[in-house]
Amino acid sequence: MSKIKPSKGAPYAKIMGVGGYRPTRVVPNEVILETIDSSDEWIRSRSGIATRHWASDQETVAAMSIEASGKAIADAGLTADKIGAVIVSTVSHFKQTPAVATEIADKLGTRKAAAFDISAGCAGFGYALTLAKGMVVEGSSEYVLVIGVERLSDLTDLEDRATAFLFGDGAGAVVVGPSDEPHIGPTVWGSEGDKSETIKQTVAWTEYDSAVHKFPAITQEGQAVFRWAVFEMAKVAQQALDAAGISADDLDVFIPHQANMRIIDSMVKTLKLPEHVTVARDIETTGNTSAASIPLAMERLLATGEAKSGDTALVIGFGAGLVYAASVVTLP
Amino acid sequence: MAATQEEIVAGLAEIVNEIAGIPVEDVQLDKSFTDDLDVDSLSMVEVVVAAEERFDVKIPDDDVKNLKTVGDAASYILKHQD
């Protein structure tokens, strides 16, 4: 039998840089109230959302990704030609093939970087981060670009008073590269397909008939999602801390998927996080941007100085699938 | 040992007080969680999970929507506790 030469990777991986892009148009609750019977007070008390960003026709999934990625690559102190692979997590790029990652890799100026899309809903960033870490350590790429991007305004039923106010658009990106020390902890992840009906697209594309249906949108069972997100995901978050050997006292920052402020607040309470832990609450002005929410929140915490480079952060994504992924990371 | 209805109501009052800040004495059998006690649908989930732990019962999501009043919840727990 011939001996196959193994690839040579890095001992560990780390997040080297982060970047975000929020669409220019800021949409206050007043605009949402034009199509649903509700109130600013109701929306804020149920979700914590005051404003969100909605993308224009020019702010495509690819365009937003390129903006966020350029910032992340610069933040990492690199140039695009160093990027060996591009992973895009999205559920709102409406052209199945080719993967949007290939266009992004090309327009960024990478040298034929490997490029592919994944679909893991609001856990997509954690899934892509886990893949990127594995690729760096295994040696197939030295630097991997991870992008979470959504145009959820395209999948929002503006007449559904339970979800019309919830979603936003944007892109967040990080660069994952080699490290001599572990800076991305073990991922605790999984899926619960038996709960696939709790968050779903209203109509499959193959069944969609504009004469019969409203345009497909994301719908969810609010109470069931809330219970799962707060109480089951708090257990997953704790497992990620335990797997990384980090106690809540050692933690500097908590960046949960920005699903709903009430979920974030209840998770913090259930996890009994100490007062000193900075909690990402980007949802107030960004809405729920699914796969983009964690890198967007990370970028904002670092930009505002609420968190700093080198801080230890717990990140957890959870959503449609149902799927989840949590890990402890060092902030870039 | 299974809790009595009186103990369940007292327990629910403590839970509702903790989660929604409603005075314990306001939590009476005939009170509606949403209309009288300012417990919205998401707080109701927190109340239910806390009640599950306290009274060792399981209250599935499908049953939560039927628990309109404190009395509904107390009866449910009384019937389903071990």
Side-chain angles (χ1 to χ4, degrees):
Chain A
M1 194 192 303
S2 304
K3 191 169 188 311
I4 296 173
K5 195 175 156 188
S7 55
K8 192 171 181 308
Y12 303 103
K14 64 180 175 185
I15 298 176
M16 300 176 63
V18 61
Y21 180 80
R22 292 173 169 81
T24 309
R25 185 184 174 200
V26 176
V27 179
N29 288 340
E30 288 69 36
V31 172
I32 307 295
L33 296 171
E34 290 169 10
T35 48
I36 57 168
D37 179 19
S38 188
S39 69
D40 179 53
E41 191 275 331
W42 192 93
I43 293 171
R44 286 175 192 252
S45 72
R46 295 318 194 276
S47 70
I49 299 170
T51 59
R52 73 287 289 145
H53 297 255
W54 281 356
S56 67
D57 290 348
Q58 288 72 41
E59 290 166 319
T60 62
V61 164
M64 293 193 293
S65 297
I66 289 163
E67 289 290 331
S69 299
K71 291 179 196 170
I73 293 166
D75 190 42
L78 297 172
T79 47
D81 58 305
K82 299 284 190 219
I83 300 296
V86 178
I87 309 173
V88 175
S89 180
T90 184
V91 297
S92 46
H93 180 244
F94 291 160
K95 196 170 172 184
Q96 259 71 44
T97 195
V100 71
T102 58
E103 179 188 344
I104 295 164
D106 176 53
K107 289 191 173 155
L108 279 171
T110 70
R111 291 185 176 169
K112 300 184 181 178
F116 58 99
D117 299 351
I118 65 166
S119 172
C122 305
F125 176 75
Y127 271 61
L129 183 68
T130 303
L131 293 177
K133 179 179 84 166
M135 290 154 71
V136 168
V137 172
E138 179 268 340
S140 51
S141 296
E142 190 175 13
Y143 301 106
V144 180
L145 178 63
V146 167
I147 303 164
V149 56
E150 303 291 359
R151 280 178 56 112
L152 294 183
S153 61
D154 293 335
L155 284 172
T156 301
D157 179 354
L158 293 178
E159 293 173 347
D160 176 8
R161 69 189 300 275
T163 58
F165 56 85
L166 200 54
F167 301 117
D169 304 336
V174 300
V175 175
V176 178
S179 172
D180 292 331
E181 302 280 332
H183 286 296
I184 303 175
T187 303
V188 177
W189 60 349
S191 70
E192 297 181 41
D194 59 318
K195 300 186 179 74
S196 62
E197 292 293 302
T198 49
I199 309 173
K200 62 181 181 181
Q201 183 174 318
T202 48
V203 188
W205 295 112
T206 46
E207 293 164 9
Y208 173 61
D209 176 350
S210 62
V212 180
H213 303 111
K214 280 186 177 179
F215 193 78
I218 299 168
T219 181
Q220 63 177 13
E221 295 170 20
Q223 285 187 318
V225 171
F226 183 83
R227 186 197 287 225
W228 179 78
V230 172
F231 298 101
E232 297 307 313
M233 291 305 99
K235 292 175 199 163
V236 171
Q238 186 60 52
Q239 287 167 17
L241 285 174
D242 295 344
I246 297 290
S247 74
D249 286 336
D250 299 328
L251 199 63
D252 301 308
V253 184
F254 178 46
I255 312 179
H257 163 51
Q258 303 290 293
N260 179 316
M261 194 74 86
R262 297 279 295 274
I263 290 176
I264 295 169
D265 289 340
S266 290
M267 280 183 101
V268 168
K269 202 164 70 177
T270 306
L271 276 167
K272 299 185 173 64
L273 290 183
E275 286 280 322
H276 75 263
V277 175
T278 299
V279 178
R281 290 194 165 85
D282 190 39
I283 188 163
E284 183 180 3
T285 55
T286 306
N288 177 339
T289 57
S290 190
S293 84
I294 290 174
L296 276 173
M298 186 185 291
E299 184 246 24
R300 179 153 280 175
L301 285 176
L302 289 165
T304 58
E306 292 169 87
K308 60 184 189 304
S309 177
D311 277 356
T312 301
L314 170 62
V315 298
I316 179 167
F318 46 85
L322 297 171
V323 290
Y324 56 88
S327 57
V328 176
V329 303
T330 306
L331 294 182
Chain B
M1 204 174 79
T4 63
Q5 190 189 49
E6 199 173 39
E7 288 165 343
I8 292 169
V9 174
L12 286 172
E14 281 180 27
I15 290 167
V16 171
N17 173 259
E18 156 95 21
I19 289 166
I22 305 298
V24 170
E25 58 271 22
D26 289 359
V27 182
Q28 303 287 338
L29 279 177
D30 61 336
K31 290 291 189 325
S32 156
F33 286 106
T34 45
D35 299 337
D36 301 321
L37 301 176
D38 204 24
V39 175
D40 69 22
S41 63
L42 300 184
S43 295
M44 189 63 197
V45 176
E46 294 182 280
V47 169
V48 162
V49 172
E52 283 186 336
E53 283 176 11
R54 183 165 183 144
F55 300 112
D56 196 23
V57 288
K58 280 273 162 243
I59 311 176
D61 292 317
D62 284 346
D63 291 340
V64 173
K65 58 179 175 294
N66 299 324
L67 308 180
K68 305 285 186 206
T69 66
V70 175
D72 294 340
S75 302
Y76 188 97
I77 292 164
L78 199 58
K79 190 172 158 194
H80 291 87
Q81 66 183 348
D82 292 330

